[in-house]
Amino acid sequence: MYIQIAVVAIAVILIAGENLEAVADSQSSTEDSTSSIVATKPTLEIEGGYAKYGDYIGLTPVDNQSAEFSQRIVKDIQIRFVNNKDQLLDDKGQPIKGRTQKEFIIGLLKLKPGEVFREDLLEADLQQLRRLESFNEVNVYRQEDVNGVNLIYEIKERNFPSLILGGGSNEDVGLFGRVGYKDENISGLNDKLDTTVQISGKDVQFNGQFTSRYRPEEPNRLGYSIRAFRNRNISGTFNEDIRLSNGDKVREGRFGGSVGVLRSFDEWDAAISLNYTRISLRDRDYKVVQVDSLGNPLSVSGTGIDDLFTVLFSLSRDQRDRRENPTQGSILTLSTEQAIPIGLGNISSNRLLGDYIQYLPVSWIGKGRPTDNPEMLAINFQIGTTIGDFPPADAFNIGGLDSVRGYGYGKVASGRSYGLASVEYRFPIFYSIGGVLFTDFASDFGSSETVLGEPGVLRDKPGSGFGYGLGLRVKSSFGLIRGDLGISDRGELRFEVTTGQRF
């Protein structure tokens, strides 16, 4: 039995919030337990023909009065913020002030003042707001009279910015300390800054990205993203079965950056970016190496270092009901990345990727009870291939916690192409604890033989693999904690702990 448990102590200091909380590096799930647009407040008394709060706004019209209402005009949209105690007023009796600009929120909505009220547009707007990472909970209510409809959005924001402190130990660098800073709502416009620095006795690694998202209310302005990174780890392609001539495991170092522009079209988000990555293969002392113990090349250039200059174009369509721990919906992502023959290796290739996730609500045991872990089937299909030459370290490494569970990282295959299918049945146990039954299958379609040096073939990677098992999901102050016990088709057992859902 192989047991790999990652335990990270994370202390979170909220810089701008009024309360001190612990926040995980991964994202926490929204607190609302339903994906519908239910207004939980009952209809209050009618004063002069004016309803202070509307009924369940998801109701299907059943009479002429409801049918008439469906043609009414949206007169006004109000944005209200609530605190962590679900209060609209602070201790001084003043309205809670949010960080997010109200004009920005209204600009995201399809249903605006002056337009005919439609239930489907209201539902789409609610899901759009719930997908924003800066919001923890979003509800909507309506006021109506004979002349039209007022919509009231009540929003609970997540506590940003946050400082993340942690540490741990790994096989490559030993003990390390980590500090991170994250803000998903810079200037109240949902601009994002996410930075992490890791320091050990052997190395300093970092990853930083700033993203200014596209704003529908400013159609002539493109969003943009800037990233820089430096990291190292034990190579998943050249694992321990065949080592270097000095007996060391192969270390893989990467550094580089990217700049990109972002644009949205209807329900599609598009991005195009220019990227640079230098990949180097090294020994334990971090000296560059050219071949493994059998004399097989580790890089296209033959020097142990390859440069990748690429242009990436991607499209995604997000129809989830909320960003974190969704209860229904889907997300589709397609991308193509063209390598330009510049630098060491003179690499020219194209990488094609597709990723589809579907969330299907079921009521087999949960019977629709509110829970942090809603009952559902979650299905994920991935497929990818690379056309042309590419560094063997950039092969598709199949196996591991985020691939085929029950196998170690990269232990199924290192191929030119791959396909992956995963199915999870997620179910509630207690309010904040859920269980998962899962199965994963992946294959390289026999493409490992076409990778330079055939690292997967020489290391006896099977090329395809199947895994299944069970896991626990626990909502905590550190975010969603995931523990999975996977069993491979070769009889290997692995228990691993991390944060966030598998997909």
Side-chain angles (χ1 to χ4, degrees), residues 30 79 100 104-109 122-140 153-155 190 321-323:
T30 57
I79 307 296
T100 311
F104 168 78
I105 297 173
I106 294 175
L108 296 175
L109 305 178
L122 183 59
E123 181 178 359
D125 286 342
L126 185 60
Q127 292 184 2
Q128 167 73 7
L129 295 181
R130 283 179 171 172
R131 285 194 292 264
L132 296 180
E133 191 172 350
S134 58
F135 293 163
N136 199 32
E137 184 177 344
V138 182
N139 291 300
V140 63
Y153 286 91
E154 290 188 0
I155 297 172
N190 273 244
D321 60 343
R322 59 193 188 194
R323 183 184 183 98

PDB file of all heavy atoms in Angstrom, residues 30 79 100 104-109 122-140 153-155 190 321-323:
ATOM      1  N   THR A  30     -19.676  28.013  -2.011  1.00  0.00           N
ATOM      2  CA  THR A  30     -20.699  28.961  -1.630  1.00  0.00           C
ATOM      3  C   THR A  30     -21.580  28.348  -0.567  1.00  0.00           C
ATOM      4  O   THR A  30     -21.742  27.144  -0.477  1.00  0.00           O
ATOM      5  CB  THR A  30     -21.555  29.328  -2.851  1.00  0.00           C
ATOM      6  OG1 THR A  30     -22.090  28.130  -3.392  1.00  0.00           O
ATOM      7  CG2 THR A  30     -20.745  30.047  -3.894  1.00  0.00           C
ATOM      8  N   ILE A  79     -28.960  46.754  -5.367  1.00  0.00           N
ATOM      9  CA  ILE A  79     -27.904  45.864  -4.884  1.00  0.00           C
ATOM     10  C   ILE A  79     -27.723  46.105  -3.399  1.00  0.00           C
ATOM     11  O   ILE A  79     -27.465  47.235  -2.965  1.00  0.00           O
ATOM     12  CB  ILE A  79     -26.574  46.101  -5.623  1.00  0.00           C
ATOM     13  CG1 ILE A  79     -26.759  46.016  -7.140  1.00  0.00           C
ATOM     14  CG2 ILE A  79     -25.531  45.107  -5.143  1.00  0.00           C
ATOM     15  CD1 ILE A  79     -27.189  44.664  -7.644  1.00  0.00           C
ATOM     16  N   THR A 100     -17.474  45.416  -3.845  1.00  0.00           N
ATOM     17  CA  THR A 100     -17.777  45.378  -5.270  1.00  0.00           C
ATOM     18  C   THR A 100     -18.589  46.598  -5.684  1.00  0.00           C
ATOM     19  O   THR A 100     -19.569  46.957  -5.025  1.00  0.00           O
ATOM     20  CB  THR A 100     -18.569  44.112  -5.624  1.00  0.00           C
ATOM     21  OG1 THR A 100     -17.918  42.980  -5.052  1.00  0.00           O
ATOM     22  CG2 THR A 100     -18.653  43.936  -7.126  1.00  0.00           C
ATOM     23  N   PHE A 104     -20.656  47.804 -11.553  1.00  0.00           N
ATOM     24  CA  PHE A 104     -20.043  46.624 -12.158  1.00  0.00           C
ATOM     25  C   PHE A 104     -21.000  45.442 -12.120  1.00  0.00           C
ATOM     26  O   PHE A 104     -21.140  44.703 -13.100  1.00  0.00           O
ATOM     27  CB  PHE A 104     -18.751  46.279 -11.422  1.00  0.00           C
ATOM     28  CG  PHE A 104     -18.181  44.930 -11.765  1.00  0.00           C
ATOM     29  CD1 PHE A 104     -17.481  44.736 -12.939  1.00  0.00           C
ATOM     30  CD2 PHE A 104     -18.360  43.853 -10.909  1.00  0.00           C
ATOM     31  CE1 PHE A 104     -16.969  43.490 -13.274  1.00  0.00           C
ATOM     32  CE2 PHE A 104     -17.849  42.608 -11.219  1.00  0.00           C
ATOM     33  CZ  PHE A 104     -17.155  42.427 -12.406  1.00  0.00           C
ATOM     34  N   ILE A 105     -21.688  45.251 -10.996  1.00  0.00           N
ATOM     35  CA  ILE A 105     -22.625  44.138 -10.864  1.00  0.00           C
ATOM     36  C   ILE A 105     -23.764  44.277 -11.866  1.00  0.00           C
ATOM     37  O   ILE A 105     -24.101  43.330 -12.584  1.00  0.00           O
ATOM     38  CB  ILE A 105     -23.177  44.071  -9.429  1.00  0.00           C
ATOM     39  CG1 ILE A 105     -22.033  43.801  -8.440  1.00  0.00           C
ATOM     40  CG2 ILE A 105     -24.248  42.986  -9.316  1.00  0.00           C
ATOM     41  CD1 ILE A 105     -22.460  43.882  -6.988  1.00  0.00           C
ATOM     42  N   ILE A 106     -24.351  45.459 -11.947  1.00  0.00           N
ATOM     43  CA  ILE A 106     -25.466  45.675 -12.869  1.00  0.00           C
ATOM     44  C   ILE A 106     -25.017  45.487 -14.309  1.00  0.00           C
ATOM     45  O   ILE A 106     -25.758  44.978 -15.158  1.00  0.00           O
ATOM     46  CB  ILE A 106     -26.077  47.065 -12.640  1.00  0.00           C
ATOM     47  CG1 ILE A 106     -26.717  47.121 -11.246  1.00  0.00           C
ATOM     48  CG2 ILE A 106     -27.112  47.400 -13.724  1.00  0.00           C
ATOM     49  CD1 ILE A 106     -27.257  48.483 -10.865  1.00  0.00           C
ATOM     50  N   GLY A 107     -23.762  45.849 -14.596  1.00  0.00           N
ATOM     51  CA  GLY A 107     -23.246  45.686 -15.957  1.00  0.00           C
ATOM     52  C   GLY A 107     -23.138  44.238 -16.387  1.00  0.00           C
ATOM     53  O   GLY A 107     -23.124  43.952 -17.588  1.00  0.00           O
ATOM     54  N   LEU A 108     -23.064  43.309 -15.429  1.00  0.00           N
ATOM     55  CA  LEU A 108     -22.984  41.887 -15.762  1.00  0.00           C
ATOM     56  C   LEU A 108     -24.343  41.285 -16.089  1.00  0.00           C
ATOM     57  O   LEU A 108     -24.418  40.191 -16.651  1.00  0.00           O
ATOM     58  CB  LEU A 108     -22.375  41.110 -14.589  1.00  0.00           C
ATOM     59  CG  LEU A 108     -20.924  41.423 -14.213  1.00  0.00           C
ATOM     60  CD1 LEU A 108     -20.544  40.650 -12.953  1.00  0.00           C
ATOM     61  CD2 LEU A 108     -19.982  41.075 -15.350  1.00  0.00           C
ATOM     62  N   LEU A 109     -25.414  41.976 -15.734  1.00  0.00           N
ATOM     63  CA  LEU A 109     -26.755  41.418 -15.852  1.00  0.00           C
ATOM     64  C   LEU A 109     -27.313  41.556 -17.269  1.00  0.00           C
ATOM     65  O   LEU A 109     -27.085  42.557 -17.948  1.00  0.00           O
ATOM     66  CB  LEU A 109     -27.695  42.113 -14.859  1.00  0.00           C
ATOM     67  CG  LEU A 109     -27.264  42.099 -13.392  1.00  0.00           C
ATOM     68  CD1 LEU A 109     -28.261  42.861 -12.544  1.00  0.00           C
ATOM     69  CD2 LEU A 109     -27.096  40.668 -12.896  1.00  0.00           C
ATOM     70  N   LEU A 122     -33.560  36.129 -15.568  1.00  0.00           N
ATOM     71  CA  LEU A 122     -33.274  36.310 -14.147  1.00  0.00           C
ATOM     72  C   LEU A 122     -32.456  35.145 -13.602  1.00  0.00           C
ATOM     73  O   LEU A 122     -31.498  35.326 -12.841  1.00  0.00           O
ATOM     74  CB  LEU A 122     -34.576  36.450 -13.371  1.00  0.00           C
ATOM     75  CG  LEU A 122     -34.440  36.715 -11.871  1.00  0.00           C
ATOM     76  CD1 LEU A 122     -33.656  37.999 -11.617  1.00  0.00           C
ATOM     77  CD2 LEU A 122     -35.802  36.776 -11.212  1.00  0.00           C
ATOM     78  N   GLU A 123     -32.826  33.927 -14.014  1.00  0.00           N
ATOM     79  CA  GLU A 123     -32.071  32.758 -13.581  1.00  0.00           C
ATOM     80  C   GLU A 123     -30.641  32.801 -14.116  1.00  0.00           C
ATOM     81  O   GLU A 123     -29.682  32.494 -13.388  1.00  0.00           O
ATOM     82  CB  GLU A 123     -32.758  31.483 -14.052  1.00  0.00           C
ATOM     83  CG  GLU A 123     -32.041  30.224 -13.619  1.00  0.00           C
ATOM     84  CD  GLU A 123     -32.761  28.961 -14.041  1.00  0.00           C
ATOM     85  OE1 GLU A 123     -33.830  29.071 -14.659  1.00  0.00           O
ATOM     86  OE2 GLU A 123     -32.235  27.872 -13.750  1.00  0.00           O
ATOM     87  N   ALA A 124     -30.478  33.199 -15.378  1.00  0.00           N
ATOM     88  CA  ALA A 124     -29.132  33.289 -15.964  1.00  0.00           C
ATOM     89  C   ALA A 124     -28.290  34.340 -15.246  1.00  0.00           C
ATOM     90  O   ALA A 124     -27.090  34.140 -15.004  1.00  0.00           O
ATOM     91  CB  ALA A 124     -29.232  33.614 -17.452  1.00  0.00           C
ATOM     92  N   ASP A 125     -28.915  35.477 -14.881  1.00  0.00           N
ATOM     93  CA  ASP A 125     -28.173  36.524 -14.172  1.00  0.00           C
ATOM     94  C   ASP A 125     -27.742  36.051 -12.786  1.00  0.00           C
ATOM     95  O   ASP A 125     -26.621  36.327 -12.337  1.00  0.00           O
ATOM     96  CB  ASP A 125     -29.045  37.776 -14.044  1.00  0.00           C
ATOM     97  CG  ASP A 125     -29.183  38.537 -15.355  1.00  0.00           C
ATOM     98  OD1 ASP A 125     -28.351  38.304 -16.245  1.00  0.00           O
ATOM     99  OD2 ASP A 125     -30.116  39.348 -15.471  1.00  0.00           O
ATOM    100  N   LEU A 126     -28.624  35.343 -12.105  1.00  0.00           N
ATOM    101  CA  LEU A 126     -28.285  34.838 -10.777  1.00  0.00           C
ATOM    102  C   LEU A 126     -27.120  33.859 -10.839  1.00  0.00           C
ATOM    103  O   LEU A 126     -26.185  33.923 -10.032  1.00  0.00           O
ATOM    104  CB  LEU A 126     -29.509  34.166 -10.156  1.00  0.00           C
ATOM    105  CG  LEU A 126     -29.356  33.676  -8.717  1.00  0.00           C
ATOM    106  CD1 LEU A 126     -29.018  34.824  -7.781  1.00  0.00           C
ATOM    107  CD2 LEU A 126     -30.602  32.955  -8.254  1.00  0.00           C
ATOM    108  N   GLN A 127     -27.132  32.972 -11.821  1.00  0.00           N
ATOM    109  CA  GLN A 127     -26.033  32.020 -11.970  1.00  0.00           C
ATOM    110  C   GLN A 127     -24.745  32.734 -12.348  1.00  0.00           C
ATOM    111  O   GLN A 127     -23.655  32.349 -11.898  1.00  0.00           O
ATOM    112  CB  GLN A 127     -26.402  30.964 -13.001  1.00  0.00           C
ATOM    113  CG  GLN A 127     -27.522  30.049 -12.555  1.00  0.00           C
ATOM    114  CD  GLN A 127     -27.809  28.941 -13.542  1.00  0.00           C
ATOM    115  OE1 GLN A 127     -27.141  28.832 -14.562  1.00  0.00           O
ATOM    116  NE2 GLN A 127     -28.806  28.127 -13.252  1.00  0.00           N
ATOM    117  N   GLN A 128     -24.837  33.780 -13.165  1.00  0.00           N
ATOM    118  CA  GLN A 128     -23.655  34.546 -13.540  1.00  0.00           C
ATOM    119  C   GLN A 128     -22.994  35.153 -12.302  1.00  0.00           C
ATOM    120  O   GLN A 128     -21.770  35.089 -12.131  1.00  0.00           O
ATOM    121  CB  GLN A 128     -24.051  35.656 -14.520  1.00  0.00           C
ATOM    122  CG  GLN A 128     -22.995  36.720 -14.756  1.00  0.00           C
ATOM    123  CD  GLN A 128     -21.838  36.241 -15.605  1.00  0.00           C
ATOM    124  OE1 GLN A 128     -21.860  35.131 -16.136  1.00  0.00           O
ATOM    125  NE2 GLN A 128     -20.829  37.072 -15.746  1.00  0.00           N
ATOM    126  N   LEU A 129     -23.783  35.715 -11.401  1.00  0.00           N
ATOM    127  CA  LEU A 129     -23.221  36.322 -10.198  1.00  0.00           C
ATOM    128  C   LEU A 129     -22.676  35.264  -9.248  1.00  0.00           C
ATOM    129  O   LEU A 129     -21.648  35.473  -8.603  1.00  0.00           O
ATOM    130  CB  LEU A 129     -24.282  37.164  -9.491  1.00  0.00           C
ATOM    131  CG  LEU A 129     -24.798  38.393 -10.265  1.00  0.00           C
ATOM    132  CD1 LEU A 129     -25.829  39.142  -9.441  1.00  0.00           C
ATOM    133  CD2 LEU A 129     -23.657  39.317 -10.661  1.00  0.00           C
ATOM    134  N   ARG A 130     -23.348  34.122  -9.155  1.00  0.00           N
ATOM    135  CA  ARG A 130     -22.875  33.067  -8.263  1.00  0.00           C
ATOM    136  C   ARG A 130     -21.582  32.440  -8.743  1.00  0.00           C
ATOM    137  O   ARG A 130     -20.886  31.790  -7.960  1.00  0.00           O
ATOM    138  CB  ARG A 130     -23.958  31.994  -8.112  1.00  0.00           C
ATOM    139  CG  ARG A 130     -25.091  32.405  -7.186  1.00  0.00           C
ATOM    140  CD  ARG A 130     -26.153  31.349  -7.079  1.00  0.00           C
ATOM    141  NE  ARG A 130     -27.112  31.670  -6.024  1.00  0.00           N
ATOM    142  CZ  ARG A 130     -28.226  31.002  -5.809  1.00  0.00           C
ATOM    143  NH1 ARG A 130     -28.538  29.961  -6.585  1.00  0.00           N
ATOM    144  NH2 ARG A 130     -29.042  31.354  -4.843  1.00  0.00           N
ATOM    145  N   ARG A 131     -21.241  32.609 -10.002  1.00  0.00           N
ATOM    146  CA  ARG A 131     -19.979  32.054 -10.510  1.00  0.00           C
ATOM    147  C   ARG A 131     -18.785  32.954 -10.201  1.00  0.00           C
ATOM    148  O   ARG A 131     -17.645  32.546 -10.410  1.00  0.00           O
ATOM    149  CB  ARG A 131     -20.082  31.794 -12.016  1.00  0.00           C
ATOM    150  CG  ARG A 131     -20.907  30.565 -12.368  1.00  0.00           C
ATOM    151  CD  ARG A 131     -20.693  30.148 -13.809  1.00  0.00           C
ATOM    152  NE  ARG A 131     -21.233  31.093 -14.756  1.00  0.00           N
ATOM    153  CZ  ARG A 131     -22.431  30.992 -15.337  1.00  0.00           C
ATOM    154  NH1 ARG A 131     -23.219  29.982 -15.025  1.00  0.00           N
ATOM    155  NH2 ARG A 131     -22.839  31.889 -16.208  1.00  0.00           N
ATOM    156  N   LEU A 132     -19.028  34.172  -9.738  1.00  0.00           N
ATOM    157  CA  LEU A 132     -17.923  35.062  -9.394  1.00  0.00           C
ATOM    158  C   LEU A 132     -17.284  34.593  -8.093  1.00  0.00           C
ATOM    159  O   LEU A 132     -17.969  34.379  -7.088  1.00  0.00           O
ATOM    160  CB  LEU A 132     -18.417  36.500  -9.242  1.00  0.00           C
ATOM    161  CG  LEU A 132     -18.978  37.166 -10.507  1.00  0.00           C
ATOM    162  CD1 LEU A 132     -19.428  38.581 -10.178  1.00  0.00           C
ATOM    163  CD2 LEU A 132     -17.946  37.180 -11.629  1.00  0.00           C
ATOM    164  N   GLU A 133     -15.985  34.469  -8.103  1.00  0.00           N
ATOM    165  CA  GLU A 133     -15.297  33.941  -6.930  1.00  0.00           C
ATOM    166  C   GLU A 133     -15.343  34.904  -5.758  1.00  0.00           C
ATOM    167  O   GLU A 133     -15.203  34.508  -4.605  1.00  0.00           O
ATOM    168  CB  GLU A 133     -13.849  33.609  -7.271  1.00  0.00           C
ATOM    169  CG  GLU A 133     -13.136  32.826  -6.193  1.00  0.00           C
ATOM    170  CD  GLU A 133     -11.771  32.344  -6.625  1.00  0.00           C
ATOM    171  OE1 GLU A 133     -11.457  32.450  -7.821  1.00  0.00           O
ATOM    172  OE2 GLU A 133     -11.027  31.863  -5.756  1.00  0.00           O
ATOM    173  N   SER A 134     -15.557  36.181  -6.007  1.00  0.00           N
ATOM    174  CA  SER A 134     -15.589  37.158  -4.922  1.00  0.00           C
ATOM    175  C   SER A 134     -16.886  37.122  -4.140  1.00  0.00           C
ATOM    176  O   SER A 134     -16.978  37.732  -3.074  1.00  0.00           O
ATOM    177  CB  SER A 134     -15.372  38.570  -5.485  1.00  0.00           C
ATOM    178  OG  SER A 134     -16.356  38.872  -6.461  1.00  0.00           O
ATOM    179  N   PHE A 135     -17.920  36.397  -4.638  1.00  0.00           N
ATOM    180  CA  PHE A 135     -19.196  36.320  -3.948  1.00  0.00           C
ATOM    181  C   PHE A 135     -19.352  34.962  -3.269  1.00  0.00           C
ATOM    182  O   PHE A 135     -19.134  33.925  -3.887  1.00  0.00           O
ATOM    183  CB  PHE A 135     -20.358  36.546  -4.908  1.00  0.00           C
ATOM    184  CG  PHE A 135     -20.421  37.942  -5.472  1.00  0.00           C
ATOM    185  CD1 PHE A 135     -21.177  38.204  -6.607  1.00  0.00           C
ATOM    186  CD2 PHE A 135     -19.735  38.982  -4.880  1.00  0.00           C
ATOM    187  CE1 PHE A 135     -21.239  39.486  -7.132  1.00  0.00           C
ATOM    188  CE2 PHE A 135     -19.783  40.261  -5.399  1.00  0.00           C
ATOM    189  CZ  PHE A 135     -20.539  40.513  -6.528  1.00  0.00           C
ATOM    190  N   ASN A 136     -19.786  35.003  -2.017  1.00  0.00           N
ATOM    191  CA  ASN A 136     -19.993  33.774  -1.261  1.00  0.00           C
ATOM    192  C   ASN A 136     -21.431  33.288  -1.373  1.00  0.00           C
ATOM    193  O   ASN A 136     -21.696  32.088  -1.350  1.00  0.00           O
ATOM    194  CB  ASN A 136     -19.631  34.010   0.210  1.00  0.00           C
ATOM    195  CG  ASN A 136     -19.374  32.734   0.950  1.00  0.00           C
ATOM    196  OD1 ASN A 136     -18.901  31.757   0.383  1.00  0.00           O
ATOM    197  ND2 ASN A 136     -19.688  32.724   2.232  1.00  0.00           N
ATOM    198  N   GLU A 137     -22.376  34.221  -1.473  1.00  0.00           N
ATOM    199  CA  GLU A 137     -23.784  33.860  -1.571  1.00  0.00           C
ATOM    200  C   GLU A 137     -24.535  34.973  -2.279  1.00  0.00           C
ATOM    201  O   GLU A 137     -24.295  36.162  -2.028  1.00  0.00           O
ATOM    202  CB  GLU A 137     -24.367  33.637  -0.173  1.00  0.00           C
ATOM    203  CG  GLU A 137     -25.804  33.168  -0.153  1.00  0.00           C
ATOM    204  CD  GLU A 137     -26.306  32.888   1.246  1.00  0.00           C
ATOM    205  OE1 GLU A 137     -25.467  32.756   2.160  1.00  0.00           O
ATOM    206  OE2 GLU A 137     -27.537  32.817   1.418  1.00  0.00           O
ATOM    207  N   VAL A 138     -25.454  34.612  -3.170  1.00  0.00           N
ATOM    208  CA  VAL A 138     -26.257  35.592  -3.899  1.00  0.00           C
ATOM    209  C   VAL A 138     -27.709  35.128  -3.905  1.00  0.00           C
ATOM    210  O   VAL A 138     -27.998  33.983  -4.256  1.00  0.00           O
ATOM    211  CB  VAL A 138     -25.767  35.768  -5.360  1.00  0.00           C
ATOM    212  CG1 VAL A 138     -26.606  36.834  -6.065  1.00  0.00           C
ATOM    213  CG2 VAL A 138     -24.295  36.143  -5.401  1.00  0.00           C
ATOM    214  N   ASN A 139     -28.614  36.008  -3.509  1.00  0.00           N
ATOM    215  CA  ASN A 139     -30.049  35.747  -3.590  1.00  0.00           C
ATOM    216  C   ASN A 139     -30.730  36.935  -4.249  1.00  0.00           C
ATOM    217  O   ASN A 139     -30.202  38.066  -4.214  1.00  0.00           O
ATOM    218  CB  ASN A 139     -30.654  35.504  -2.204  1.00  0.00           C
ATOM    219  CG  ASN A 139     -30.182  34.201  -1.586  1.00  0.00           C
ATOM    220  OD1 ASN A 139     -30.387  33.129  -2.135  1.00  0.00           O
ATOM    221  ND2 ASN A 139     -29.508  34.290  -0.449  1.00  0.00           N
ATOM    222  N   VAL A 140     -31.886  36.696  -4.853  1.00  0.00           N
ATOM    223  CA  VAL A 140     -32.611  37.768  -5.517  1.00  0.00           C
ATOM    224  C   VAL A 140     -34.081  37.718  -5.116  1.00  0.00           C
ATOM    225  O   VAL A 140     -34.659  36.647  -4.946  1.00  0.00           O
ATOM    226  CB  VAL A 140     -32.458  37.673  -7.055  1.00  0.00           C
ATOM    227  CG1 VAL A 140     -33.059  36.396  -7.599  1.00  0.00           C
ATOM    228  CG2 VAL A 140     -33.055  38.897  -7.749  1.00  0.00           C
ATOM    229  N   TYR A 153     -31.109  42.376  -5.360  1.00  0.00           N
ATOM    230  CA  TYR A 153     -30.073  41.362  -5.184  1.00  0.00           C
ATOM    231  C   TYR A 153     -29.415  41.567  -3.818  1.00  0.00           C
ATOM    232  O   TYR A 153     -28.993  42.672  -3.480  1.00  0.00           O
ATOM    233  CB  TYR A 153     -29.008  41.472  -6.272  1.00  0.00           C
ATOM    234  CG  TYR A 153     -29.453  40.966  -7.627  1.00  0.00           C
ATOM    235  CD1 TYR A 153     -30.044  41.835  -8.542  1.00  0.00           C
ATOM    236  CD2 TYR A 153     -29.274  39.638  -7.984  1.00  0.00           C
ATOM    237  CE1 TYR A 153     -30.457  41.373  -9.790  1.00  0.00           C
ATOM    238  CE2 TYR A 153     -29.681  39.169  -9.220  1.00  0.00           C
ATOM    239  CZ  TYR A 153     -30.274  40.042 -10.126  1.00  0.00           C
ATOM    240  OH  TYR A 153     -30.674  39.579 -11.346  1.00  0.00           O
ATOM    241  N   GLU A 154     -29.372  40.497  -3.035  1.00  0.00           N
ATOM    242  CA  GLU A 154     -28.660  40.519  -1.765  1.00  0.00           C
ATOM    243  C   GLU A 154     -27.418  39.644  -1.889  1.00  0.00           C
ATOM    244  O   GLU A 154     -27.521  38.460  -2.227  1.00  0.00           O
ATOM    245  CB  GLU A 154     -29.561  40.032  -0.626  1.00  0.00           C
ATOM    246  CG  GLU A 154     -30.677  41.017  -0.300  1.00  0.00           C
ATOM    247  CD  GLU A 154     -31.445  40.642   0.945  1.00  0.00           C
ATOM    248  OE1 GLU A 154     -31.110  39.602   1.559  1.00  0.00           O
ATOM    249  OE2 GLU A 154     -32.392  41.374   1.302  1.00  0.00           O
ATOM    250  N   ILE A 155     -26.266  40.227  -1.593  1.00  0.00           N
ATOM    251  CA  ILE A 155     -24.980  39.587  -1.887  1.00  0.00           C
ATOM    252  C   ILE A 155     -24.121  39.529  -0.627  1.00  0.00           C
ATOM    253  O   ILE A 155     -23.956  40.540   0.072  1.00  0.00           O
ATOM    254  CB  ILE A 155     -24.232  40.363  -2.992  1.00  0.00           C
ATOM    255  CG1 ILE A 155     -25.036  40.318  -4.298  1.00  0.00           C
ATOM    256  CG2 ILE A 155     -22.835  39.793  -3.206  1.00  0.00           C
ATOM    257  CD1 ILE A 155     -24.484  41.209  -5.388  1.00  0.00           C
ATOM    258  N   ASN A 190     -13.659  42.955  -9.524  1.00  0.00           N
ATOM    259  CA  ASN A 190     -13.357  41.537  -9.661  1.00  0.00           C
ATOM    260  C   ASN A 190     -12.065  41.258 -10.408  1.00  0.00           C
ATOM    261  O   ASN A 190     -11.889  40.183 -10.987  1.00  0.00           O
ATOM    262  CB  ASN A 190     -14.524  40.780 -10.315  1.00  0.00           C
ATOM    263  CG  ASN A 190     -15.541  40.318  -9.297  1.00  0.00           C
ATOM    264  OD1 ASN A 190     -15.757  39.127  -9.095  1.00  0.00           O
ATOM    265  ND2 ASN A 190     -16.178  41.278  -8.625  1.00  0.00           N
ATOM    266  N   ASP A 321     -24.269  26.351 -12.130  1.00  0.00           N
ATOM    267  CA  ASP A 321     -25.126  27.239 -11.356  1.00  0.00           C
ATOM    268  C   ASP A 321     -24.324  28.081 -10.384  1.00  0.00           C
ATOM    269  O   ASP A 321     -24.783  29.120  -9.927  1.00  0.00           O
ATOM    270  CB  ASP A 321     -26.214  26.448 -10.618  1.00  0.00           C
ATOM    271  CG  ASP A 321     -25.641  25.423  -9.648  1.00  0.00           C
ATOM    272  OD1 ASP A 321     -24.442  25.096  -9.763  1.00  0.00           O
ATOM    273  OD2 ASP A 321     -26.398  24.938  -8.791  1.00  0.00           O
ATOM    274  N   ARG A 322     -23.119  27.661 -10.043  1.00  0.00           N
ATOM    275  CA  ARG A 322     -22.231  28.449  -9.212  1.00  0.00           C
ATOM    276  C   ARG A 322     -20.818  27.938  -9.400  1.00  0.00           C
ATOM    277  O   ARG A 322     -20.596  26.826  -9.854  1.00  0.00           O
ATOM    278  CB  ARG A 322     -22.652  28.403  -7.743  1.00  0.00           C
ATOM    279  CG  ARG A 322     -22.689  27.011  -7.142  1.00  0.00           C
ATOM    280  CD  ARG A 322     -23.406  27.005  -5.814  1.00  0.00           C
ATOM    281  NE  ARG A 322     -23.287  25.730  -5.126  1.00  0.00           N
ATOM    282  CZ  ARG A 322     -24.040  25.383  -4.094  1.00  0.00           C
ATOM    283  NH1 ARG A 322     -24.951  26.210  -3.647  1.00  0.00           N
ATOM    284  NH2 ARG A 322     -23.869  24.219  -3.497  1.00  0.00           N
ATOM    285  N   ARG A 323     -19.867  28.761  -9.006  1.00  0.00           N
ATOM    286  CA  ARG A 323     -18.466  28.453  -9.289  1.00  0.00           C
ATOM    287  C   ARG A 323     -17.939  27.331  -8.409  1.00  0.00           C
ATOM    288  O   ARG A 323     -17.274  26.411  -8.880  1.00  0.00           O
ATOM    289  CB  ARG A 323     -17.622  29.720  -9.086  1.00  0.00           C
ATOM    290  CG  ARG A 323     -16.141  29.548  -9.426  1.00  0.00           C
ATOM    291  CD  ARG A 323     -15.376  30.817  -9.098  1.00  0.00           C
ATOM    292  NE  ARG A 323     -13.987  30.703  -9.478  1.00  0.00           N
ATOM    293  CZ  ARG A 323     -13.464  31.175 -10.596  1.00  0.00           C
ATOM    294  NH1 ARG A 323     -14.259  31.775 -11.466  1.00  0.00           N
ATOM    295  NH2 ARG A 323     -12.185  31.052 -10.871  1.00  0.00           N
TER     296      ARG A 323
END
